Amino acid sequence: MKRLAILGSTGSIGTQALDVVAAHPTLFEVEVLSAHSNAALLIEQAHQFQPNAVVVTDPKKYDEVKRALSALPIKVFSGADALNEVVQWEAVDMVLAAIVGFAGLHSTLAAIDAGKPIALANKETLVVAGDIVMQRAAEKNVPIIPVDSEHSAIFQCLVGETAESIDKIILTASGGPFLGRKTNFLVNVKAMHALQHPNWTMGAKITIDSATLMNKGLEMIEAKWLFGLKNEQIDVIIHPESIAHSFVQFIDGSLKAQLGLPDMKLPIQYALAFPQRISNTHKRFDFKDFQTLKFEAPDYKTFRNLAIAKDAMFKGGNMACVMNAANEEVVHAFLQNQIGFLSMSDIIEEVIQKVAFINTPTLQEYIASDAQAREQAQELIKTNSYKH
Ligand code: NAD
Ligand code: MG
Protein backbone atom coordinates (compact mmCIF):
# COMPACT_ATOMS: atom_id res chain seq x y z
CA MET A 1 0.00 0.00 0.00
CA LYS A 2 1.48 3.34 -1.08
CA ARG A 3 0.38 6.32 1.01
CA LEU A 4 0.09 9.43 -1.12
CA ALA A 5 0.21 13.17 -0.58
CA ILE A 6 -1.71 14.67 -3.49
CA LEU A 7 -0.86 18.36 -3.81
CA GLY A 8 -3.31 20.20 -6.03
CA SER A 9 -5.99 17.53 -5.58
CA THR A 10 -8.82 19.70 -6.92
CA GLY A 11 -7.11 20.33 -10.27
CA SER A 12 -7.27 18.44 -13.52
CA ILE A 13 -4.31 16.20 -12.60
CA GLY A 14 -5.35 15.95 -8.95
CA THR A 15 -8.90 14.78 -9.68
CA GLN A 16 -7.68 12.25 -12.25
CA ALA A 17 -5.12 10.97 -9.73
CA LEU A 18 -7.95 10.42 -7.26
CA ASP A 19 -9.80 8.46 -9.97
CA VAL A 20 -6.71 6.25 -10.24
CA VAL A 21 -6.60 5.84 -6.46
CA ALA A 22 -10.32 4.97 -6.33
CA ALA A 23 -9.80 2.34 -9.05
CA HIS A 24 -6.94 0.69 -7.10
CA PRO A 25 -7.96 0.73 -3.43
CA THR A 26 -5.56 -2.08 -2.53
CA LEU A 27 -2.55 -0.25 -3.94
CA PHE A 28 -3.02 3.37 -2.89
CA GLU A 29 -4.19 5.27 0.15
CA VAL A 30 -4.52 9.04 0.51
CA GLU A 31 -2.58 10.55 3.40
CA VAL A 32 -2.74 14.23 2.42
CA LEU A 33 -4.88 16.31 0.06
CA SER A 34 -4.23 19.96 -0.78
CA ALA A 35 -5.99 22.68 -2.72
CA HIS A 36 -5.73 26.41 -2.98
CA SER A 37 -9.28 27.75 -2.90
CA ASN A 38 -11.79 25.16 -4.11
CA ALA A 39 -13.01 24.39 -0.60
CA ALA A 40 -16.18 22.63 -1.71
CA LEU A 41 -14.36 20.04 -3.80
CA LEU A 42 -11.61 19.58 -1.22
CA ILE A 43 -14.25 18.86 1.43
CA GLU A 44 -15.98 16.37 -0.85
CA GLN A 45 -12.66 14.62 -1.60
CA ALA A 46 -11.80 14.50 2.11
CA HIS A 47 -15.12 12.78 2.86
CA GLN A 48 -14.53 10.24 0.13
CA PHE A 49 -10.83 9.46 0.69
CA GLN A 50 -10.53 10.07 4.45
CA PRO A 51 -6.97 11.45 4.44
CA ASN A 52 -5.04 12.08 7.62
CA ALA A 53 -4.74 15.78 6.71
CA VAL A 54 -5.91 18.38 4.25
CA VAL A 55 -4.22 21.68 3.47
CA VAL A 56 -6.16 24.58 2.03
CA THR A 57 -3.45 27.05 1.10
CA ASP A 58 -5.79 30.04 0.78
CA PRO A 59 -6.24 31.16 4.43
CA LYS A 60 -9.64 32.68 3.61
CA LYS A 61 -11.00 29.17 3.04
CA TYR A 62 -9.71 27.64 6.27
CA ASP A 63 -12.83 28.16 8.42
CA GLU A 64 -15.13 26.67 5.81
CA VAL A 65 -13.00 23.51 5.44
CA LYS A 66 -12.35 23.17 9.17
CA ARG A 67 -16.05 23.42 9.97
CA ALA A 68 -17.11 20.95 7.30
CA LEU A 69 -14.62 18.31 8.47
CA SER A 70 -14.95 18.89 12.22
CA ALA A 71 -16.72 15.58 12.83
CA LEU A 72 -13.98 13.59 11.12
CA PRO A 73 -10.49 12.66 12.38
CA ILE A 74 -8.88 14.80 9.64
CA LYS A 75 -6.36 17.51 10.46
CA VAL A 76 -6.95 20.76 8.60
CA PHE A 77 -4.14 23.20 7.87
CA SER A 78 -3.93 26.43 5.98
CA GLY A 79 -1.23 28.48 4.24
CA ALA A 80 1.58 27.51 1.89
CA ASP A 81 4.04 26.69 4.69
CA ALA A 82 1.80 23.89 5.95
CA LEU A 83 2.40 22.07 2.65
CA ASN A 84 6.14 21.97 3.32
CA GLU A 85 5.49 20.24 6.63
CA VAL A 86 2.90 17.66 5.71
CA VAL A 87 4.87 16.34 2.72
CA GLN A 88 7.67 15.45 5.14
CA TRP A 89 5.51 13.29 7.39
CA GLU A 90 6.70 9.77 8.10
CA ALA A 91 3.40 8.31 6.80
CA VAL A 92 3.82 9.80 3.31
CA ASP A 93 5.37 7.34 0.84
CA MET A 94 5.07 9.44 -2.31
CA VAL A 95 4.16 13.02 -3.21
CA LEU A 96 2.18 13.85 -6.34
CA ALA A 97 3.23 17.41 -7.21
CA ALA A 98 0.19 18.65 -9.13
CA ILE A 99 0.04 22.30 -8.07
CA VAL A 100 0.21 24.63 -11.07
CA GLY A 101 3.07 27.09 -11.54
CA PHE A 102 5.94 28.42 -9.43
CA ALA A 103 3.67 27.94 -6.38
CA GLY A 104 4.56 24.23 -6.51
CA LEU A 105 8.31 24.70 -6.13
CA HIS A 106 8.73 24.89 -2.36
CA SER A 107 6.59 21.91 -1.41
CA THR A 108 8.35 19.75 -4.01
CA LEU A 109 11.74 20.76 -2.61
CA ALA A 110 10.53 20.06 0.92
CA ALA A 111 9.38 16.59 -0.12
CA ILE A 112 12.73 15.90 -1.79
CA ASP A 113 14.60 17.05 1.32
CA ALA A 114 12.61 14.51 3.34
CA GLY A 115 13.53 11.78 0.85
CA LYS A 116 10.02 11.33 -0.58
CA PRO A 117 9.71 9.96 -4.11
CA ILE A 118 8.01 12.53 -6.37
CA ALA A 119 5.44 11.96 -9.08
CA LEU A 120 5.99 15.24 -10.89
CA ALA A 121 3.20 16.95 -12.83
CA ASN A 122 4.32 20.48 -11.94
CA LYS A 123 6.72 21.12 -14.84
CA GLU A 124 7.26 24.74 -13.77
CA THR A 125 9.33 23.46 -10.82
CA LEU A 126 11.98 22.18 -13.23
CA VAL A 127 11.70 25.19 -15.53
CA VAL A 128 12.33 27.57 -12.64
CA ALA A 129 15.12 25.76 -10.79
CA GLY A 130 15.77 22.44 -12.53
CA ASP A 131 19.47 22.33 -11.66
CA ILE A 132 18.82 22.75 -7.93
CA VAL A 133 15.84 20.39 -7.87
CA MET A 134 17.66 17.58 -9.68
CA GLN A 135 20.82 18.03 -7.63
CA ARG A 136 18.91 17.82 -4.37
CA ALA A 137 17.05 14.76 -5.61
CA ALA A 138 20.35 13.10 -6.54
CA GLU A 139 21.84 13.90 -3.13
CA LYS A 140 18.83 12.38 -1.39
CA ASN A 141 18.56 9.52 -3.85
CA VAL A 142 14.96 10.56 -4.53
CA PRO A 143 13.33 9.34 -7.74
CA ILE A 144 11.45 11.96 -9.74
CA ILE A 145 8.92 10.15 -11.89
CA PRO A 146 7.36 12.30 -14.60
CA VAL A 147 3.59 12.62 -14.92
CA ASP A 148 3.66 14.91 -17.96
CA SER A 149 2.60 12.57 -20.78
CA GLU A 150 5.57 13.31 -23.06
CA HIS A 151 8.09 12.81 -20.27
CA SER A 152 6.32 9.68 -19.08
CA ALA A 153 6.63 8.39 -22.65
CA ILE A 154 10.36 9.12 -22.71
CA PHE A 155 10.79 7.64 -19.23
CA GLN A 156 9.04 4.46 -20.39
CA CYS A 157 11.19 4.31 -23.54
CA LEU A 158 14.33 4.60 -21.40
CA VAL A 159 13.59 1.61 -19.16
CA GLY A 160 16.57 -0.72 -19.63
CA GLU A 161 18.61 1.86 -21.59
CA THR A 162 21.65 3.87 -20.55
CA ALA A 163 22.06 7.65 -20.78
CA GLU A 164 25.00 7.18 -23.18
CA SER A 165 22.82 5.35 -25.68
CA ILE A 166 20.47 8.35 -26.18
CA ASP A 167 21.07 10.37 -29.32
CA LYS A 168 18.11 12.70 -28.83
CA ILE A 169 14.54 12.92 -27.68
CA ILE A 170 11.65 14.20 -29.76
CA LEU A 171 8.76 15.71 -27.85
CA THR A 172 5.43 15.55 -29.63
CA ALA A 173 3.05 18.53 -29.53
CA SER A 174 -0.57 18.49 -30.66
CA GLY A 175 -0.15 22.03 -31.96
CA GLY A 176 -3.15 23.15 -29.92
CA PRO A 177 -6.39 24.72 -31.20
CA PHE A 178 -4.61 27.16 -33.55
CA LEU A 179 -2.42 24.73 -35.46
CA GLY A 180 -1.81 26.05 -38.97
CA ARG A 181 -3.08 29.53 -38.09
CA LYS A 182 -1.01 32.65 -38.74
CA THR A 183 -0.55 35.96 -36.94
CA ASN A 184 -3.47 37.64 -38.74
CA PHE A 185 -5.80 35.08 -37.14
CA LEU A 186 -4.14 34.94 -33.74
CA VAL A 187 -4.41 38.69 -33.26
CA ASN A 188 -8.16 38.31 -32.71
CA VAL A 189 -8.09 35.23 -30.49
CA LYS A 190 -9.73 35.50 -27.07
CA ALA A 191 -9.44 33.32 -23.97
CA MET A 192 -12.69 31.49 -24.73
CA HIS A 193 -11.22 30.30 -28.08
CA ALA A 194 -7.84 29.39 -26.64
CA LEU A 195 -9.47 27.34 -23.89
CA GLN A 196 -10.86 24.85 -26.46
CA HIS A 197 -8.09 22.25 -26.72
CA PRO A 198 -8.70 19.58 -29.40
CA ASN A 199 -7.34 16.51 -27.52
CA TRP A 200 -6.93 17.19 -23.81
CA THR A 201 -9.06 18.68 -21.01
CA MET A 202 -6.68 20.42 -18.60
CA GLY A 203 -6.39 23.33 -16.18
CA ALA A 204 -6.75 26.83 -17.67
CA LYS A 205 -3.07 27.79 -17.44
CA ILE A 206 -1.69 24.76 -19.27
CA THR A 207 -4.50 25.00 -21.84
CA ILE A 208 -3.39 28.53 -22.76
CA ASP A 209 0.25 27.36 -22.75
CA SER A 210 -0.76 24.65 -25.21
CA ALA A 211 -2.41 27.20 -27.50
CA THR A 212 0.72 29.40 -27.53
CA LEU A 213 3.12 26.38 -27.62
CA MET A 214 4.75 27.73 -24.45
CA ASN A 215 3.77 24.38 -22.97
CA LYS A 216 6.11 22.60 -25.37
CA GLY A 217 8.85 25.11 -24.59
CA LEU A 218 8.42 24.45 -20.86
CA GLU A 219 8.52 20.73 -21.62
CA MET A 220 11.83 21.04 -23.50
CA ILE A 221 13.37 22.55 -20.37
CA GLU A 222 11.62 19.99 -18.16
CA ALA A 223 13.10 17.18 -20.28
CA LYS A 224 16.58 18.67 -20.18
CA TRP A 225 16.67 18.47 -16.39
CA LEU A 226 14.72 15.25 -15.93
CA PHE A 227 16.86 13.24 -18.29
CA GLY A 228 20.16 15.13 -17.97
CA LEU A 229 20.26 16.05 -21.67
CA LYS A 230 22.22 18.62 -23.63
CA ASN A 231 20.13 21.36 -25.24
CA GLU A 232 21.01 20.03 -28.70
CA GLN A 233 19.49 16.66 -27.87
CA ILE A 234 15.95 18.02 -27.53
CA ASP A 235 13.60 18.32 -30.51
CA VAL A 236 9.92 19.04 -31.00
CA ILE A 237 7.56 17.68 -33.65
CA ILE A 238 3.90 18.54 -34.20
CA HIS A 239 1.66 15.48 -34.05
CA PRO A 240 -1.99 16.61 -34.10
CA GLU A 241 -3.55 13.30 -33.00
CA SER A 242 -1.62 13.11 -29.67
CA ILE A 243 -1.22 9.33 -29.95
CA ALA A 244 2.59 9.02 -30.01
CA HIS A 245 3.42 10.72 -26.71
CA SER A 246 7.10 11.27 -27.58
CA PHE A 247 10.13 9.53 -29.06
CA VAL A 248 13.66 8.63 -28.07
CA GLN A 249 16.23 8.19 -30.82
CA PHE A 250 19.24 6.09 -29.84
CA ILE A 251 22.83 6.26 -31.10
CA ASP A 252 22.19 3.35 -33.46
CA GLY A 253 19.34 5.27 -35.12
CA SER A 254 16.57 3.23 -33.49
CA LEU A 255 13.48 5.17 -32.49
CA LYS A 256 11.27 4.15 -29.59
CA ALA A 257 7.91 5.72 -28.82
CA GLN A 258 5.16 5.17 -26.30
CA LEU A 259 1.67 5.32 -27.80
CA GLY A 260 -1.83 5.44 -26.42
CA LEU A 261 -5.00 7.50 -26.40
CA PRO A 262 -4.59 10.95 -24.88
CA ASP A 263 -5.66 10.24 -21.30
CA MET A 264 -3.62 11.61 -18.40
CA LYS A 265 -4.78 8.81 -16.11
CA LEU A 266 -2.26 6.52 -17.82
CA PRO A 267 0.90 8.56 -17.08
CA ILE A 268 -0.50 9.39 -13.63
CA GLN A 269 -1.01 5.74 -12.74
CA TYR A 270 2.36 4.77 -14.26
CA ALA A 271 4.10 7.31 -12.00
CA LEU A 272 2.12 6.39 -8.88
CA ALA A 273 2.63 2.64 -9.34
CA PHE A 274 6.24 2.78 -10.60
CA PRO A 275 8.15 0.46 -10.81
CA GLN A 276 5.06 -1.72 -11.23
CA ARG A 277 2.88 -1.56 -14.33
CA ILE A 278 -0.74 -2.06 -13.30
CA SER A 279 -3.87 -2.88 -15.30
CA ASN A 280 -6.86 -0.61 -15.86
CA THR A 281 -10.13 -0.43 -17.75
CA HIS A 282 -9.38 2.75 -19.72
CA LYS A 283 -10.48 2.93 -23.34
CA ARG A 284 -7.80 1.40 -25.60
CA PHE A 285 -6.21 2.73 -28.77
CA ASP A 286 -7.78 1.14 -31.84
CA PHE A 287 -5.97 1.25 -35.20
CA LYS A 288 -9.31 1.41 -36.99
CA ASP A 289 -9.92 4.85 -35.49
CA PHE A 290 -6.55 6.22 -36.65
CA GLN A 291 -5.65 5.18 -40.16
CA THR A 292 -2.99 7.84 -40.39
CA LEU A 293 -0.84 9.66 -37.87
CA LYS A 294 0.60 12.99 -39.01
CA PHE A 295 3.88 14.68 -38.09
CA GLU A 296 5.07 18.12 -39.15
CA ALA A 297 7.67 20.73 -38.14
CA PRO A 298 6.55 23.39 -35.62
CA ASP A 299 6.05 26.98 -36.81
CA TYR A 300 8.49 28.84 -34.56
CA LYS A 301 7.80 32.15 -36.36
CA THR A 302 4.09 32.24 -35.63
CA PHE A 303 4.21 30.55 -32.22
CA ARG A 304 6.97 32.71 -30.82
CA ASN A 305 6.70 31.34 -27.29
CA LEU A 306 8.27 28.10 -28.46
CA ALA A 307 11.25 29.98 -29.88
CA ILE A 308 11.49 32.14 -26.74
CA ALA A 309 11.56 29.08 -24.50
CA LYS A 310 14.11 27.28 -26.64
CA ASP A 311 16.29 30.37 -26.54
CA ALA A 312 15.93 30.61 -22.74
CA MET A 313 16.95 26.96 -22.46
CA PHE A 314 20.13 27.62 -24.47
CA LYS A 315 20.94 30.80 -22.51
CA GLY A 316 20.57 28.94 -19.22
CA GLY A 317 21.06 30.65 -15.84
CA ASN A 318 17.91 32.38 -14.59
CA MET A 319 16.45 32.91 -18.08
CA ALA A 320 13.91 30.10 -17.95
CA CYS A 321 12.87 31.18 -14.46
CA VAL A 322 12.30 34.76 -15.67
CA MET A 323 10.44 33.56 -18.73
CA ASN A 324 8.24 31.28 -16.64
CA ALA A 325 7.29 34.06 -14.23
CA ALA A 326 6.46 36.45 -17.07
CA ASN A 327 4.45 33.70 -18.73
CA GLU A 328 2.42 32.99 -15.59
CA GLU A 329 1.55 36.70 -15.39
CA VAL A 330 0.62 37.13 -19.06
CA VAL A 331 -1.46 33.96 -19.12
CA HIS A 332 -3.36 35.22 -16.09
CA ALA A 333 -3.90 38.60 -17.80
CA PHE A 334 -4.97 36.96 -21.06
CA LEU A 335 -7.49 34.79 -19.19
CA GLN A 336 -8.93 38.01 -17.72
CA ASN A 337 -9.14 39.54 -21.23
CA GLN A 338 -6.64 42.24 -20.20
CA ILE A 339 -4.20 41.61 -23.06
CA GLY A 340 -4.34 40.06 -26.51
CA PHE A 341 -3.00 36.64 -27.55
CA LEU A 342 0.08 37.97 -29.34
CA SER A 343 0.89 40.41 -26.53
CA MET A 344 1.78 37.42 -24.37
CA SER A 345 4.97 36.79 -26.38
CA ASP A 346 5.74 40.53 -26.68
CA ILE A 347 5.62 40.99 -22.92
CA ILE A 348 7.64 37.87 -22.14
CA GLU A 349 10.35 39.00 -24.56
CA GLU A 350 10.45 42.45 -23.01
CA VAL A 351 10.65 41.09 -19.46
CA ILE A 352 13.55 38.83 -20.44
CA GLN A 353 15.40 41.95 -21.65
CA LYS A 354 14.73 43.77 -18.40
CA VAL A 355 15.71 41.29 -15.71
CA ALA A 356 19.45 40.91 -15.09
CA PHE A 357 21.04 37.65 -16.21
CA ILE A 358 22.51 35.41 -13.50
CA ASN A 359 24.63 32.53 -14.70
CA THR A 360 24.44 30.11 -11.75
CA PRO A 361 21.64 31.33 -9.49
CA THR A 362 21.11 30.19 -5.93
CA LEU A 363 17.60 29.24 -4.89
CA GLN A 364 17.20 32.71 -3.34
CA GLU A 365 18.26 34.27 -6.63
CA TYR A 366 15.74 32.18 -8.55
CA ILE A 367 13.04 33.34 -6.15
CA ALA A 368 14.16 36.98 -6.58
CA SER A 369 14.27 36.64 -10.38
CA ASP A 370 10.74 35.24 -10.35
CA ALA A 371 9.52 38.21 -8.29
CA GLN A 372 11.30 40.79 -10.47
CA ALA A 373 9.96 39.26 -13.65
CA ARG A 374 6.41 39.28 -12.31
CA GLU A 375 6.72 42.94 -11.33
CA GLN A 376 8.00 43.88 -14.80
CA ALA A 377 5.31 41.84 -16.50
CA GLN A 378 2.57 43.46 -14.42
CA GLU A 379 3.86 46.91 -15.33
CA LEU A 380 3.75 46.05 -19.02
CA ILE A 381 0.31 44.46 -18.75
CA LYS A 382 -0.99 47.79 -17.45
CA THR A 383 0.28 49.75 -20.46
CA ASN A 384 -2.19 50.41 -23.22
CA SER A 385 0.01 49.19 -26.04
CA TYR A 386 -0.58 45.59 -25.00
CA LYS A 387 -4.34 45.71 -24.86
CA HIS A 388 -4.50 43.74 -28.14
P1 NAD B 1 -5.33 23.02 -12.41
O1 NAD B 1 -5.38 24.50 -12.52
O2 NAD B 1 -6.47 22.23 -12.92
O3 NAD B 1 -5.11 22.62 -10.88
C1 NAD B 1 -4.14 23.23 -10.10
C2 NAD B 1 -4.19 22.76 -8.66
O4 NAD B 1 -3.22 23.50 -7.94
C3 NAD B 1 -5.53 22.98 -7.96
O5 NAD B 1 -5.77 21.92 -7.06
C4 NAD B 1 -5.30 24.28 -7.19
O6 NAD B 1 -6.08 24.34 -6.01
C5 NAD B 1 -3.84 24.19 -6.84
N1 NAD B 1 -3.22 25.51 -6.75
C6 NAD B 1 -3.32 26.54 -7.63
N2 NAD B 1 -2.63 27.60 -7.20
C7 NAD B 1 -2.07 27.24 -6.02
C8 NAD B 1 -1.24 27.92 -5.08
N3 NAD B 1 -0.87 29.19 -5.26
N4 NAD B 1 -0.86 27.23 -3.98
C9 NAD B 1 -1.24 25.97 -3.78
N5 NAD B 1 -2.02 25.27 -4.62
C10 NAD B 1 -2.43 25.91 -5.74
O7 NAD B 1 -3.97 22.58 -13.09
P2 NAD B 1 -3.63 21.17 -13.81
O8 NAD B 1 -4.05 21.25 -15.22
O9 NAD B 1 -4.08 20.04 -12.97
O10 NAD B 1 -2.04 21.24 -13.81
C11 NAD B 1 -1.26 21.00 -12.66
C12 NAD B 1 0.20 20.88 -13.07
O11 NAD B 1 0.34 19.71 -13.87
C13 NAD B 1 0.69 22.05 -13.92
O12 NAD B 1 2.02 22.32 -13.60
C14 NAD B 1 0.60 21.52 -15.34
O13 NAD B 1 1.56 22.10 -16.20
C15 NAD B 1 0.91 20.04 -15.13
N6 NAD B 1 0.34 19.17 -16.16
C16 NAD B 1 -1.01 19.13 -16.32
C17 NAD B 1 -1.55 18.31 -17.31
C18 NAD B 1 -3.05 18.20 -17.48
O14 NAD B 1 -3.50 17.39 -18.30
N7 NAD B 1 -3.85 18.95 -16.77
C19 NAD B 1 -0.71 17.56 -18.14
C20 NAD B 1 0.65 17.63 -17.93
C21 NAD B 1 1.17 18.44 -16.94
MG1 MG C 1 2.67 17.43 -21.66
Side-chain angles (χ1 to χ4, degrees):
M1 185 69 99
K2 231 183 237 181
R3 294 163 300 176
L4 306 172
I6 300 185
L7 309 188
S9 66
T10 55
S12 162
I13 294 291
T15 52
Q16 293 181 84
L18 287 173
D19 290 344
V20 170
V21 169
H24 300 277
T26 58
L27 294 179
F28 306 115
E29 201 172 70
V30 179
E31 184 65 20
V32 175
L33 292 173
S34 98
H36 189 56
S37 55
N38 190 345
L41 183 54
L42 183 63
I43 291 163
E44 188 188 316
Q45 292 176 339
H47 276 109
Q48 186 182 348
F49 292 94
Q50 302 280 327
N52 188 8
V54 301
V55 180
V56 55
T57 42
D58 181 351
K60 291 194 294 294
K61 298 295 170 101
Y62 174 77
D63 287 342
E64 182 183 349
V65 178
K66 178 78 187 158
R67 217 176 313 116
L69 300 179
S70 59
L72 297 169
I74 300 176
K75 301 180 192 74
V76 180
F77 301 102
S78 154
D81 290 344
L83 282 179
N84 305 343
E85 280 176 36
V86 295
V87 294
Q88 300 197 331
W89 281 355
E90 182 74 36
V92 171
D93 296 321
M94 182 178 231
V95 174
L96 172 62
I99 289 174
V100 58
F102 176 88
L105 173 66
H106 293 293
S107 47
T108 304
L109 282 173
I112 292 170
D113 287 344
K116 308 296 183 187
I118 309 287
L120 186 74
N122 177 266
K123 63 191 83 184
E124 294 91 347
T125 290
L126 290 180
V127 174
V128 169
D131 53 346
I132 290 177
V133 173
M134 294 312 287
Q135 195 195 325
R136 282 210 202 171
E139 280 164 15
K140 292 279 177 184
N141 216 357
V142 164
I144 306 221
I145 321 289
V147 168
D148 212 347
S149 56
E150 296 76 3
H151 304 73
S152 176
I154 292 163
F155 190 86
Q156 293 181 53
C157 291
L158 290 177
V159 170
E161 305 284 354
T162 60
E164 299 72 47
S165 64
I166 304 172
D167 178 24
K168 64 175 177 179
I169 62 152
I170 305 157
L171 295 165
T172 52
S174 70
F178 309 130
L179 176 61
R181 300 293 191 177
K182 297 291 173 199
T183 305
N184 60 354
F185 179 90
L186 296 176
V187 72
N188 294 317
V189 157
K190 297 277 179 269
M192 57 186 264
H193 310 122
L195 284 169
Q196 309 294 323
H197 195 281
N199 303 344
W200 303 93
T201 309
M202 309 177 285
K205 193 259 179 184
I206 184 176
T207 305
I208 302 304
D209 285 345
S210 299
T212 63
L213 292 201
M214 176 54 90
N215 184 48
K216 214 48 53 180
L218 299 177
E219 290 183 355
M220 293 175 89
I221 301 166
E222 178 186 16
K224 166 185 168 138
W225 296 118
L226 263 179
F227 304 113
L229 301 169
K230 296 196 191 76
N231 299 327
E232 298 76 11
Q233 288 178 292
I234 303 167
D235 252 354
V236 171
I237 189 91
I238 301 290
H239 167 44
E241 298 87 359
S242 298
I243 295 297
H245 295 305
S246 280
F247 296 86
V248 180
Q249 181 149 50
F250 294 92
I251 49 177
D252 60 0
S254 255
L255 275 171
K256 276 193 193 174
Q258 180 261 340
L259 281 71
L261 291 177
D263 179 353
M264 285 308 295
K265 286 202 287 297
L266 175 54
I268 291 169
Q269 85 159 50
Y270 185 84
L272 295 183
F274 186 79
Q276 273 192 75
R277 200 182 267 283
I278 57 177
S279 64
N280 61 37
T281 56
H282 306 168
K283 188 164 182 259
R284 301 287 147 120
F285 173 80
D286 186 336
F287 282 95
K288 289 195 292 296
D289 298 334
F290 294 89
Q291 304 215 333
T292 56
L293 294 179
K294 292 188 287 300
F295 299 93
E296 61 184 81
D299 178 355
Y300 285 91
K301 279 213 173 67
T302 305
F303 294 91
R304 273 186 293 146
N305 277 0
L306 183 59
I308 293 171
K310 188 173 177 184
D311 199 46
M313 177 175 78
F314 272 87
K315 287 204 176 102
N318 62 341
M319 278 296 103
C321 170
V322 167
M323 174 197 77
N324 177 71
N327 183 58
E328 288 190 24
E329 294 299 323
V330 295
V331 168
H332 181 76
F334 176 71
L335 282 167
Q336 312 283 319
N337 290 316
Q338 290 167 359
I339 56 171
F341 188 84
L342 298 172
S343 300
M344 289 193 274
S345 307
D346 294 335
I347 294 175
I348 296 167
E349 274 183 332
E350 217 173 315
V351 171
I352 287 175
Q353 301 294 326
K354 286 185 165 166
V355 178
F357 180 73
I358 307 173
N359 197 29
T360 330
T362 62
L363 182 60
Q364 292 318 313
E365 285 170 330
Y366 278 127
I367 293 167
S369 296
D370 172 89
Q372 279 172 36
R374 282 174 200 274
E375 213 173 287
Q376 297 287 355
Q378 282 163 8
E379 281 299 310
L380 293 168
I381 287 165
K382 279 189 227 143
T383 64
N384 264 327
S385 50
Y386 286 121
K387 285 285 176 273
H388 292 289

